[in-house]
Amino acid sequence: MITEKILNDLPKAVKGPSYNRDRIKNGILHFGVGNFFRAHEAFYVDQILEHAPEWGIIGVGLTHSERSKKKADEFIKQDCLYSLTETAPSGERSVRVIGCLRDYLLAPADPEAVLKHLADPAIRIVSMTITEGGYNIDEKTGEFDLSDADVQADLKTPEKPSTVFGYVVEGLRRRREAGLPAFTVMSCDNLRHNGNVARKAFLGYAHARDADLAKWIEDNATFPNSMVDRITPTVTPDIHDKLNTESGLDDDLPVMAEDFHQWVMEDRFANGRPPLEKAGVQFVEDVTPYEQVKIRMLNASHIMLCFPGILVGYEYVAQAVGDADLRGNVEAFLNEDVIPTLKAPEGLSLEEYRDSVLHRFSNAAMGDQTLRIAGDGCSKIQVFWTDTVRKALEGKRDIARIAFGMAAYLEMLRGVNEKGDHYTPNEPTFKDAQWKLAKSDDFTTALELPAFDAWRDLDTAALDQKVVEIRKIIREKGVKAALPAR
Ligand code: CS2
């Protein structure tokens, strides 16, 4: 176990916090303390606490599973400390202990404790990593989905919320009532315009709850957009043991990431912000070109690589990108479909960005998993591919690679690779109805999945037909035989 006590006695190669933890105060409350948050936002904040000790973080978990209870216990036992191993494509590693988390609360166990923090004037930023699909936006209407059962439950008993929307809005209501300033709602999810999406979601909920309150939130809170980037693999039991063996620590919560990291943010904070520029965060007027490049190039090609990679039988992203056929297809996708329809931020070469992304994917030492990338594919397709698909359909461009990607996704959902090995695809938003569509023997039925909702208003007849043809080829001859001609 890592605890406060061992901070003065860390193994030589392990870096500890550069500040005295006793001086740190609460400033940020974060929902969704997953690996990405721990390797990204927490990593950045950890570096500025020396200069600005008022920005410590309270972590909040929203789910009530055995796993989340175990995680909460581990955080508490470890005084909220954990190690982060940064791994370069060369295999070089460095380890640091992150100390910026001040407490970890499991919301369902004590909702009031979370609400008290949200109403505490010390908390000036509420951040979140609740996944691409976590904002409860209906892709067909583009609006916050008020029919969601959990949202309905929160609207009935708003003082005992269970959703992130319920918590944040009730927290803001209490602040308004107490005459306190609002806080900044800072989404760190990998979405196009993540701040605008968060704004839509939280105001959507607030409007349904109380129009005056919604107006106050609109006038007083801010929702900056940001682009977040750092590849952070799932920590499997094997990786867990390996990280501890290499670091010499006995950490119950080790996390690992690539050495690359980037955070570009709009400087729109309602109630102050940490000096994150000291840790390398770029503050810009408009984050759109940065997020477009990241999502449409990195994330989009990640899934374009891993859906077929899983079918071939590759467990790791580095194996998939090391396969010349799959890599060639991703390069063609970027060169032909994405780059010509994408605007680069000033001073950035899209060709260089493409090469750096593929280099990052080839980080074998990190062991990033293809199944992690494919997980929640239904939400990711909507976020990562939509602009490219719409541009292709509207501009009557070639749809071969997009159709291949869609077909590979649908075949991947069947849970069996070409070697006959079974695996479990992870689609957290699917209910029985979606699994029924996905598993149908009819090749067209699965095209009704919400993954493809965001371009359904366009003429998709040719695209859909192509997907069906490619699925047949994948089934009969394997995924490589179905790759688009180059
Ligand atoms: C990945 C991301 O899950 C995915 O689809 O592309 O998790 C990726 O690793 C991060 O966005 C990198 O910043």
Side-chain angles (χ1 to χ4, degrees):
M1 227 172 7
I2 304 189
T3 57
E4 262 309 321
K5 280 200 203 107
I6 69 151
L7 282 184
N8 292 329
D9 197 18
L10 291 172
K12 250 218 190 89
V14 177
K15 212 166 139 186
S18 56
Y19 46 87
N20 177 353
R21 282 188 104 209
D22 293 340
R23 287 184 50 231
I24 305 305
K25 303 206 167 57
N26 301 341
I28 300 174
L29 182 141
H30 183 85
F31 286 102
V33 189
N35 290 344
F36 177 71
F37 158 78
R38 295 202 278 138
H40 192 263
E41 179 182 331
F43 158 83
Y44 279 97
V45 169
D46 198 61
Q47 292 171 68
I48 56 90
L49 286 180
E50 193 182 343
H51 313 285
E54 69 276 23
W55 290 104
I57 307 177
I58 302 286
V60 179
L62 281 164
T63 48
H64 205 19
S65 59
E66 279 310 312
R67 227 177 112 218
S68 28
K69 273 191 246 161
K70 183 168 171 272
K71 184 166 143 185
D73 287 345
E74 285 167 346
F75 268 115
I76 297 304
K77 274 197 213 134
Q78 294 209 145
D79 299 326
C80 294
L81 293 162
Y82 63 92
S83 63
L84 166 67
T85 299
E86 299 176 80
T87 307
S90 64
E92 207 175 302
R93 294 170 190 256
S94 65
V95 186
R96 57 171 80 206
V97 171
I98 305 277
C100 64
L101 272 177
R102 311 244 316 123
D103 200 358
Y104 186 90
L105 307 173
L106 198 56
D110 191 354
E112 192 50 36
V114 177
L115 290 168
K116 279 209 176 100
H117 279 297
L118 288 169
D120 175 354
I123 296 293
R124 294 190 282 153
I125 295 178
V126 171
S127 59
M128 63 204 61
T129 38
I130 53 174
T131 79
E132 291 90 349
Y135 290 80
N136 193 39
I137 301 289
D138 180 337
E139 278 291 329
K140 276 195 199 136
T141 61
E143 295 303 323
F144 184 68
D145 180 8
L146 284 169
S147 70
D148 179 84
D150 296 332
V151 167
Q152 279 297 321
D154 276 10
L155 286 170
K156 281 202 190 88
T157 51
E159 267 148 50
K160 282 213 184 77
S162 76
T163 69
V164 66
F165 316 107
Y167 274 107
V168 167
V169 170
E170 172 61 12
L172 286 164
R173 186 196 67 77
R174 292 187 183 190
R175 292 175 86 104
R176 177 185 180 222
E177 192 178 272
L180 291 170
F183 43 66
T184 300
V185 178
M186 184 171 87
S187 164
C188 295
D189 279 297
N190 206 22
L191 293 162
R192 288 166 290 155
H193 309 324
N194 55 8
N196 298 0
V197 173
R199 186 170 192 278
K200 180 173 276 177
F202 289 98
L203 287 179
Y205 175 87
H207 265 288
R209 188 178 162 184
D210 170 349
D212 285 345
L213 174 61
K215 171 89 178 59
W216 183 83
I217 296 175
E218 220 173 329
D219 293 344
N220 291 278
T222 54
F223 301 82
N225 290 305
S226 64
M227 181 275 250
V228 292
D229 193 6
R230 186 166 221 186
I231 296 176
T232 311
T234 304
V235 180
T236 59
D238 281 357
I239 295 182
H240 179 291
D241 293 347
K242 199 165 160 230
L243 291 174
N244 280 343
T245 307
E246 284 175 4
S247 67
L249 294 165
D250 178 16
D251 184 359
D252 285 339
L253 295 155
V255 60
M256 171 178 51
E258 62 178 334
D259 55 343
F260 179 95
H261 49 85
Q262 195 179 10
W263 197 359
V264 185
M265 223 187 319
E266 289 170 359
D267 200 354
R268 291 195 291 113
F269 287 76
N271 197 357
R273 69 160 170 86
L276 287 167
E277 65 281 0
K278 286 196 164 57
V281 173
Q282 291 162 259
F283 285 98
V284 298
E285 268 301 303
D286 181 11
V287 82
T288 315
Y290 297 90
E291 64 187 22
Q292 287 287 343
V293 168
K294 197 259 165 162
I295 284 171
R296 290 188 57 197
M297 291 188 69
L298 185 148
N299 298 113
S301 57
H302 233 169
I303 52 177
M304 185 58 92
L305 179 70
C306 291
F307 294 152
I310 289 169
L311 289 173
V312 174
Y314 295 135
E315 199 179 330
Y316 300 108
V317 179
Q319 294 172 310
V321 83
D323 178 314
D325 297 325
L326 298 189
R327 181 186 175 114
N329 181 57
V330 168
E331 278 171 350
F333 169 67
L334 290 170
N335 291 338
E336 312 290 333
D337 305 331
V338 181
I339 294 179
T341 60
L342 185 61
K343 192 172 167 287
E346 234 182 78
L348 185 91
S349 146
L350 296 180
E351 285 70 25
E352 279 170 23
Y353 189 86
R354 172 199 62 208
D355 295 345
S356 85
V357 160
L358 294 172
H359 180 60
R360 289 167 60 193
F361 289 177
S362 72
N363 187 328
M366 197 170 52
D368 194 15
Q369 306 88 355
T370 49
L371 273 175
R372 176 186 83 82
I373 305 302
D376 201 10
C378 186
S379 307
K380 288 180 184 172
I381 285 175
Q382 300 176 54
V383 177
F384 305 156
W385 284 355
T386 295
D387 285 347
T388 302
V389 178
R390 292 191 70 90
K391 293 236 155 71
L393 292 173
E394 283 164 352
K396 309 232 177 306
R397 303 175 63 87
D398 188 3
I399 47 157
R401 285 161 296 269
I402 291 161
F404 171 79
M406 290 169 66
Y409 167 63
L410 295 177
E411 290 298 300
M412 185 281 300
L413 284 180
R414 298 173 66 236
V416 51
N417 68 22
E418 290 179 359
K419 299 179 183 157
D421 300 332
H422 290 259
Y423 52 86
T424 312
N426 171 24
E427 284 293 347
T429 64
F430 277 18
K431 308 244 160 50
D432 289 349
Q434 284 78 35
W435 280 119
K436 215 169 140 205
L437 293 175
K439 301 263 157 130
S440 165
D441 286 332
D442 179 331
F443 284 132
T444 51
T445 307
L447 285 164
E448 289 167 38
L449 284 169
F452 316 127
D453 272 355
W455 54 87
R456 230 177 262 295
D457 55 314
L458 301 175
D459 179 6
T460 62
L463 176 61
D464 291 353
Q465 195 193 335
K466 189 106 192 125
V467 174
V468 171
E469 278 166 26
I470 298 174
R471 290 190 72 182
K472 279 192 194 137
I473 301 175
I474 297 181
R475 212 62 84 81
E476 283 163 16
K477 302 191 185 145
V479 72
K480 291 243 189 148
L483 280 165
R486 275 190 280 127

